[in-house]
Amino acid sequence: MNQIDIPPVLVTGATGRVGRVVIDQLLDAGVPVRALTRRSEAAALLPAKVEVFAGDLTVPESLDPALSGAGAVFLVWTAPPQTAAAVVERLAAHVRRVVFLSSPHQTPHPLFQQPNPMAVLHADIERLIAATGLESTIIRPGMFASNSLAWWAPAIRAGEVVRWPYSAAESAPVDDRAIAAVAARTLYQDGYVGGDYVLTGPESLTQAAQLDAIGDVLGRRIAFEEITPDEFRSLWEGTVPSSAVDMLLAAWRAAIGQPAYITTAVADILGTAPRTFRQWAVDHAIAFTEGS
Ligand SMILES: NC(=O)c1ccc[n+]([C@@H]2O[C@H](COP(=O)([O-])OP(=O)(O)OC[C@H]3O[C@@H](n4cnc5c(N)ncnc54)[C@H](OP(=O)(O)O)[C@@H]3O)[C@@H](O)[C@H]2O)c1
């Protein structure tokens, strides 16, 4: 098919960790891309071939120009929940297909089974999508490998002790690039309508082992101090919403003594094994040594 015949895919969360890479993957596959952002200056951060639209998920009618003439949407929801129903309704009025970035809240593993507002929101959006008749695919990554950039990189860069709770809690961090590659593949290739995929990294690692892997890559031991949940709450107060902190603490506490849940979905869909956390750390080593 000539590129001119392919309707564009609208990528929401286009400036975020996953959406930004979804854009590159779609462009590589020859798919025309539209990007949604609330920030006019963000256009400069995106590839020149992308058609950038201003829009805000909390103002559903602001999406209409970006949706008009689009064929599919990659939906990332980090906004408050109030406008989700109106937005999904608008998607259904304009496009045929949606791929939603959700989470593994249905997976029977303690790491994913702690009650939290994000899981409730994701489940609500999935129900809204199902009720519209949109052709949909749900992708459910576990812990992103890149969380460690926000969690640990500032202390590691500063040569400070990493103060963290539940060092024995296990997870299978998944590389954002794998999440984005799966999302893109399910957007541009046939065969994924109705698909529901839990995406994980290839190995179960304690948080301590993840820090060791980063230290290994940097060629130095990372000083670590185990702190209590209350110390952790105080440390992150004012930086991260308390509901997010509570969600993480509950998940890690429940995961102690349990190997992480691991799927083969990334390899099944992409045909290549997902990168290990160590490989992710090699590729992002500079973030632990330079910059902010
Ligand atoms: N971190 C994890 O371990 C994990 C695991 C499973 C699932 N998830 C899910 O992954 C999603 C986050 O993906 P991410 O990390 O790629 O995102 P991110 O890096 O946090 O970026 C957020 C994106 O959302 C956009 N955005 C925020 N509010 C918006 C609004 N009101 N209207 C329009 N766009 C808005 C931002 O765009 P602009 O600022 O340019 O407007 C930005 O592109 C969340 O739903 C999270 O629950 C995360």
Side-chain angles (χ1 to χ4, degrees):
M1 194 189 281
N2 190 311
Q3 177 159 336
I4 219 126
D5 302 316
I6 308 175
V9 172
L10 174 64
V11 176
T12 69
T15 59
R17 289 182 284 183
V18 178
R20 179 63 191 80
V21 187
V22 169
I23 288 176
D24 290 340
Q25 299 272 337
L26 290 172
L27 291 175
D28 285 352
V31 179
V33 176
R34 293 179 175 181
L36 190 84
T37 176
R38 295 163 302 170
R39 300 174 289 129
S40 53
E41 74 278 12
L45 308 170
L46 298 170
K49 276 172 114 177
V50 172
E51 202 181 350
V52 181
F53 287 79
D56 189 326
L57 294 168
T58 66
V59 186
E61 59 277 19
S62 72
L63 306 185
D64 287 351
L67 286 170
S68 178
V73 171
F74 178 55
L75 182 62
V76 178
W77 197 284
T78 57
Q82 288 78 3
T83 51
V87 166
V88 171
E89 204 176 295
R90 274 194 137 76
L91 300 193
H94 284 94
V95 305
R96 195 169 49 83
R97 175 133 179 68
V98 64
V99 173
F100 176 49
L101 178 60
S102 185
S103 54
H105 57 85
Q106 300 164 323
T107 297
H109 183 283
L111 187 74
F112 304 128
Q113 282 304 310
Q114 308 317 302
N116 75 73
M118 191 53 73
V120 171
L121 173 59
H122 285 158
D124 283 348
I125 293 176
E126 288 165 34
R127 268 192 295 274
L128 290 165
I129 290 171
T132 60
L134 274 160
E135 293 178 2
S136 68
T137 305
I138 311 295
I139 57 175
R140 307 177 183 280
M143 292 281 188
F144 292 8
S146 64
N147 289 344
S148 59
L149 295 174
W151 293 349
W152 303 326
I156 293 173
R157 275 197 304 267
E160 293 167 359
V161 175
V162 173
R163 304 181 69 230
W164 209 252
Y166 298 119
S167 62
E170 299 192 32
S171 61
V174 55
D175 193 311
D176 312 7
R177 294 168 294 184
I179 305 166
V182 167
R185 184 72 65 96
T186 64
L187 279 159
Y188 71 72
Q189 213 169 61
D190 290 340
Y192 297 105
V193 171
D196 188 317
Y197 307 105
V198 175
L199 308 181
T200 71
E203 58 193 339
S204 179
L205 293 171
T206 63
Q207 300 202 86
Q210 293 168 37
L211 279 163
D212 284 347
I214 295 169
D216 211 26
V217 166
L218 300 183
R220 64 182 167 91
R221 195 185 146 272
I222 292 170
F224 170 77
E225 180 194 338
E226 175 105 17
I227 58 173
T228 67
D230 280 344
E231 287 169 328
F232 185 71
R233 282 192 187 90
S234 309
L235 201 61
W236 286 86
E237 198 175 353
T239 315
V240 178
S242 60
S243 60
V245 170
D246 287 341
M247 173 181 86
L248 287 169
L249 286 169
W252 291 325
R253 182 173 54 243
I256 297 277
Q258 302 263 355
Y261 185 84
I262 291 173
T263 72
T264 59
V266 171
D268 295 344
I269 293 169
L270 300 179
T272 49
R275 293 181 187 85
T276 61
F277 183 75
R278 192 181 190 287
Q279 185 58 53
W280 175 89
V282 167
D283 296 343
H284 293 81
I286 201 162
F288 294 94
T289 54
E290 286 175 22
S292 56

